[in-house]
Amino acid sequence: MDIDVRDLVDAEQGLVNRRIFIDRAIYEQELEKIFARCWLFLGHESQIPHPGDFLSTYMGEDPVLVVRDSTGKIHAFLNICRHRGNRICRADMGNAATFICAYHGWAYANDGRLIGVPNLQEAYFGELELEQWGLIPVAQLDSYKGLLFATFDPEAPPLLAYLGEMAWYLDNFFDRREGGIEVIGGMHKWVIPCNWKFPAENFGGDPYHVGWSHLSAVQVGFTPGGATRPGAGGRLIQPGNGHGIIALAPANLADPMISTITAYEETIRPEVEQRLGPRFGKVFPIVGTLFPNFSFLRASARTFRVWHPRGPDKIEVWACIFVDKAAPPEVKEAYRLAGIHTFSPSGTLEQDDMENWQECTRTCQGVVSRRYPLNYQMGLGHEHFDDDLGAWASNSRFSELNPRRFYERWTQLMTADCWAEVPNSPVPSPAGRGLG
Ligand code: FES
Ligand SMILES: [Fe+2]
């Protein structure tokens, strides 16, 4: 029996019950209603460029193997053996023609077919139909500008409809130049004892914390401080479907204050402007979250990450540094170093954030604390639809418009029995009301 979370989230009034950050039953419902349904980010095509290349990841708590087969076609399968359920591939990344289970030795081709079973005749008397027992594929797999996404739900809307107006905002991060981006270096993975929604809402709509949480990083020059100045402008952009973008005013600076990088950005600006079209120059997106748990940032660092849920009070962060593929090697190296200094397990800004999300989660354990809702009322009603942006926008950069819409979407999905009951809103509704 599902929990009716409409009693817990009042997106219209900006009140959220703290139970949704700590309750095990609500978490299980999230795995079913959100993570087994939504389009989730898997990786970038540049991470598996050659036939046989693979990476292993997760969709919710389900292990997933993303592999480019020997003919070059990309697949995504549950990373579990069909025999006794052992995890087939335990390597993070690599290249393989076959995946052989470590337990009893069933072997799968890199297109998912079961091609080898030890002692087949003696054990199964020729009665095991190998073609019935291949790896289990995701329901839908698609890519947008090299970003690979999948969903376990065959009824989920097509990826482009799911992205809606967010697609243009993704271009600002991942498709600024011909060839798009590539991932450089490896992947940082670490655990934070926090609920997955705190980082997702932070990247998708919390510019408010920057001038305070990250003040020390601003003061020592790890990140430009322009956005923290009074009157600096900027706003939240709300393209619908629970996604969120934080934007600065176009004149603001967000890039690392490193001459190699600032000179590069200046050089490519005309090309980027032409590629992104007339909306470029009106708005400067710097960070965002694609609902539910894929976030990306271009302030101080170029990083994208997935907040993999690991229980109501734990996440694994999987974070990469990305660069324009066409950038010269010294620029890529400068971005790699800037990323490590700011947004990585040892990064100055990352550590500020982790501490806060951890404590916000931990206090939800208190039964009395939990009686008091969290406040998401900032800028309530102070928003407008902006035709130039194709989205709703807050009137001030200090707003919680995006978290309100994030929890509105969360509520819609958590209370719907199927995708047909979930409104698709490339342009969000003016009322901004939850289903309740
Ligand atoms: S669990 Fe994989 S072969 Fe038995
Ligand atoms: Fe932060």
Side-chain angles (χ1 to χ4, degrees):
M1 185 69 179
D2 285 345
I3 297 164
D4 189 350
V5 297
R6 282 173 289 206
D7 296 337
L8 304 175
V9 174
D10 186 343
E12 196 183 351
Q13 295 300 322
L15 296 171
V16 174
N17 189 302
R18 308 174 79 194
R19 209 179 130 196
I20 74 164
F21 300 101
I22 206 70
D23 188 298
R24 169 58 66 170
I26 289 176
Y27 175 71
E28 295 292 336
Q29 196 168 318
E30 286 178 331
L31 292 180
E32 194 68 56
K33 302 270 187 167
I34 292 176
F35 290 98
R37 264 184 184 170
C38 290
W39 283 93
L40 302 177
F41 178 72
L42 300 176
H44 188 263
E45 287 180 21
S46 67
Q47 294 173 287
I48 48 168
H50 307 297
D53 284 352
F54 67 86
L55 62 88
S56 44
T57 184
Y58 285 84
M59 292 168 64
E61 296 232 32
D62 286 293
V64 171
L65 181 61
V66 185
V67 55
R68 194 183 284 272
D69 72 21
S70 298
T71 69
K73 185 170 179 230
I74 297 175
H75 305 260
F77 304 107
L78 279 178
N79 186 8
I80 55 169
C81 179
R82 298 296 306 278
H83 179 226
R84 199 69 85 249
N86 190 19
R87 193 152 60 97
I88 283 283
C89 174
R90 299 180 192 176
D92 291 344
M93 305 184 81
N95 185 286
T98 54
F99 297 91
I100 303 176
C101 180
Y103 199 175
H104 310 93
W106 283 24
Y108 301 86
N110 59 14
D111 61 4
R113 285 173 301 123
L114 177 62
I115 54 170
V117 172
N119 313 107
L120 181 61
Q121 200 52 39
E122 201 179 338
Y124 291 96
F125 303 95
E127 292 162 2
L128 181 72
E129 295 182 39
L130 299 199
E131 59 279 9
Q132 301 294 319
W133 294 96
L135 295 178
I136 299 164
V138 296
Q140 301 185 61
L141 172 69
D142 205 349
S143 76
Y144 180 76
K145 305 281 171 85
L147 305 168
L148 293 164
F149 294 91
T151 169
F152 286 123
D153 192 339
E155 306 296 324
L159 177 62
L160 273 182
Y162 184 90
L163 299 178
E165 199 61 32
M166 186 68 158
W168 183 83
Y169 294 93
L170 288 177
D171 293 349
N172 279 261
F173 297 81
F174 302 113
D175 193 45
R176 302 191 312 153
R177 301 191 67 188
E178 186 62 36
I181 60 113
E182 66 182 2
V183 171
I184 53 167
M187 187 185 289
H188 283 122
K189 300 181 179 182
W190 70 100
V191 172
I192 310 177
C194 76
N195 184 274
W196 66 271
K197 295 185 286 301
F198 282 124
E201 66 158 77
N202 174 288
F203 272 61
D206 192 341
Y208 188 47
H209 80 291
V210 178
W212 182 244
S213 276
H214 300 309
L215 185 59
S216 57
V218 171
Q219 286 175 334
V220 297
F222 269 107
T223 189
T228 63
R229 282 198 313 271
R235 48 196 161 168
L236 298 190
I237 295 170
Q238 179 42 239
N241 289 352
H243 316 313
I245 288 285
I246 302 172
L248 298 181
N252 268 314
L253 182 70
D255 295 316
M257 295 177 292
I258 296 164
S259 57
T260 311
I261 289 176
T262 49
Y264 168 73
E265 291 294 331
E266 200 53 43
T267 309
I268 68 165
R269 192 181 162 87
E271 178 189 340
V272 177
E273 188 163 4
Q274 190 177 29
R275 195 169 177 86
L276 293 177
R279 200 182 279 167
F280 181 84
K282 295 193 166 79
V283 65
F284 182 16
I286 55 160
V287 53
T289 291
L290 183 81
F291 190 92
N293 65 334
F294 174 53
S295 296
F296 36 86
L297 173 99
R298 57 154 303 176
S300 319
R302 299 280 195 277
T303 170
F304 65 71
R305 64 267 311 280
V306 178
W307 318 106
H308 288 295
R310 290 292 177 271
D313 58 356
K314 193 157 86 174
I315 61 169
E316 268 180 45
V317 188
W318 288 24
C320 285
I321 293 168
F322 67 92
V323 290
D324 297 326
K325 193 171 169 56
E330 65 276 13
V331 171
K332 293 180 181 178
E333 179 62 5
Y335 269 122
R336 189 182 71 80
L337 293 174
I340 290 169
H341 289 158
T342 55
F343 282 93
S344 73
S346 60
T348 45
L349 286 93
E350 192 94 58
Q351 293 181 54
D352 299 332
D353 289 328
M354 287 193 276
E355 287 287 325
N356 291 320
W357 302 332
Q358 180 172 334
E359 292 303 323
C360 292
T361 303
R362 188 179 290 169
T363 61
C364 294
Q365 294 280 8
V367 291
V368 178
S369 304
R370 231 182 287 162
R371 292 176 197 155
Y372 299 90
L374 297 183
N375 182 311
Y376 289 86
Q377 297 181 323
M378 192 187 303
L380 198 60
H382 298 277
E383 60 224 28
H384 62 281
F385 189 79
D386 189 315
D387 288 319
D388 285 342
L389 305 183
W392 285 78
S394 58
N395 297 351
S396 158
R397 81 174 181 285
F398 297 128
S399 170
E400 283 161 348
L401 166 65
N402 286 0
R404 285 192 291 275
R405 294 289 169 82
F406 178 92
Y407 290 110
E408 176 189 46
R409 185 64 163 181
W410 181 88
T411 307
Q412 289 168 350
L413 281 158
M414 289 285 276
T415 52
D417 288 326
C418 60
W419 266 105
E421 293 177 13
V422 181
N424 185 35
S425 57
V427 174
S429 68
R433 290 164 187 264
L435 287 180

